[in-house]
């Protein structure tokens, strides 16, 4: 329900901003580019999925899917700009021809079309950002809830986290008896990262991550992910 409300909020904001800035909302929307961004996000998300996810029809990790959509939007924007600039010499020839014929208005028209196409090439990036805002993870809210559950003031929790760098956390977990890979996973857990995101970050399968998490719980004597951070 919250994601649906955020989608509506994003659409309303884009429409309002376009109208106030003198743009037509239709200029910001291209169905083909939008579908390519969504398809790219799904394709980049597939490698981190396990066979069980397909068999059991599990709900996807929307935060990770939204992040992959951002990556897809960057790729698509780059390709559009590359194609546009690749065709640039042709547009330059047209401009020079117009100048030779003393058709200044035609030269300005060609230049204006080129600038307009460059601007429109950035639409996939807008789509990716909007999808991230609408479907991305709510890490800030999660952190607030964790502080509330532990009964510690938010300011104190932040100060404690700042005392430990990722490298210091890694060495601390090694001292507690974890292997190097388990220590790396534990550091990611302390950051509030999901198993799928850990798998992508460390280039391992999600099943392997789950095994490491189980070993970490056993070695550290904890039952919840939040308890690992308290050991620092």
């Amino acid at each position: 329900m919250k994601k649906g409300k955020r989608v509506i909020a994003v659409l309303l904001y884009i429409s309002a901003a376009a109208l106030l800035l003198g743009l037509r909302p239709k200029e910001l929307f291209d169905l083909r580019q939008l579908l390519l961004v969504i398809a790219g996000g799904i394709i980049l998300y597939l490698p981190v999925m396990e066979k069980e996810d397909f068999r059991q029809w599990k709900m996807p990790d929307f935060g990770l899917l939204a992040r992959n959509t951002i990556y897809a939007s960057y790729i698509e924007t780059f390709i559009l700009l590359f194609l546009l600039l690749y065709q640039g010499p042709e547009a330059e020839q047209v401009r020079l021809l117009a100048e030779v014929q003393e058709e200044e208005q035609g030269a300005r028209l060609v230049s204006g079309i080129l600038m307009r196409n460059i601007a429109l090439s950035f639409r996939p990036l807008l789509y990716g950002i909007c999808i991230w805002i609408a479907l991305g993870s709510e890490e800030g809210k999660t952190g607030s809830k964790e502080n509330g559950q532990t009964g510690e003031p938010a300011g104190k929790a932040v100060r404690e986290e700042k005392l430990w760098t990722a490298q210091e956390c890694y060495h601390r977990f090694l001292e507690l008896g974890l292997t190097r890979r388990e220590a790396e996973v534990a550091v990611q857990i302390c950051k509030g990262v999901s198993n799928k995101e850990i798998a992508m970050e460390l280039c391992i399968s999600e099943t392997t991550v789950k095994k490491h998490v189980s070993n970490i719980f056993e070695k550290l004597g904890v039952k919840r992910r939040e308890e690992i951070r308290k050991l620092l």
Side-chain angles (χ1 to χ4, degrees), residues 13-183:
Y13 177 73
I14 291 176
S15 300
L19 292 174
L20 291 175
L21 295 175
L23 294 174
R24 291 180 298 177
K26 291 183 179 180
E27 290 290 328
L28 296 177
F29 181 76
D30 185 282
L31 181 59
R32 184 177 61 176
Q33 292 182 2
L34 175 60
L35 292 178
L36 280 174
V37 169
I38 296 174
I42 294 174
I43 292 172
L44 294 177
Y45 177 77
L46 290 178
V48 301
M49 295 186 67
E50 300 291 335
K51 293 181 179 179
E52 291 76 9
D53 295 334
F54 293 101
R55 294 173 181 173
Q56 301 177 9
W57 293 95
K58 290 183 178 180
M59 290 292 291
D61 186 333
F62 288 107
L64 185 56
L65 182 60
R67 189 175 72 176
N68 287 324
T69 302
I70 284 282
Y71 298 152
S73 69
Y74 277 112
I75 295 173
E76 185 177 340
T77 300
F78 172 81
I79 292 175
L80 289 173
L81 289 173
F82 177 80
L83 290 174
L84 185 61
L85 295 176
Y86 179 76
Q87 298 171 355
E90 297 179 5
E92 183 68 15
Q93 291 176 3
V94 174
R95 186 184 67 81
L96 292 175
L97 179 62
E99 290 180 350
V100 170
Q101 296 176 350
E102 297 181 354
E103 296 180 359
E104 295 182 1
Q105 185 176 0
R108 287 196 296 269
L109 179 61
V110 172
S111 178
I113 292 174
L114 181 61
M115 294 302 297
R116 178 179 181 274
N117 288 336
I118 291 176
L120 293 179
S121 297
F122 283 95
R123 288 184 296 188
L125 199 55
L126 172 64
Y127 303 151
I129 293 173
C130 291
I131 292 174
W132 167 253
I133 295 173
L135 302 180
S137 60
E138 302 178 1
E139 296 179 356
K141 293 184 179 180
T142 302
S144 299
K145 290 180 180 179
E146 290 178 358
N147 290 336
Q149 291 174 353
T150 57
E152 296 178 358
K156 182 179 178 181
V158 171
R159 286 195 297 271
E160 289 181 354
E161 289 180 358
K162 289 183 178 179
L163 293 176
W164 291 88
T165 64
Q167 191 68 20
E168 290 171 340
C169 291
Y170 174 78
H171 289 296
R172 172 58 177 167
F173 287 127
L174 290 178
E175 293 174 357
L176 292 175
L178 301 185
T179 65
R180 293 183 178 181
R181 181 60 82 179
E182 289 169 354

Side-chain angles (χ1 to χ4, degrees), residues 3-19:
K3 295 185 185 298
K5 291 180 179 179
R6 284 198 289 180
V7 170
I8 295 174
V10 168
L11 293 176
L12 289 176
Y13 177 73
I14 291 176
S15 300
L19 292 174

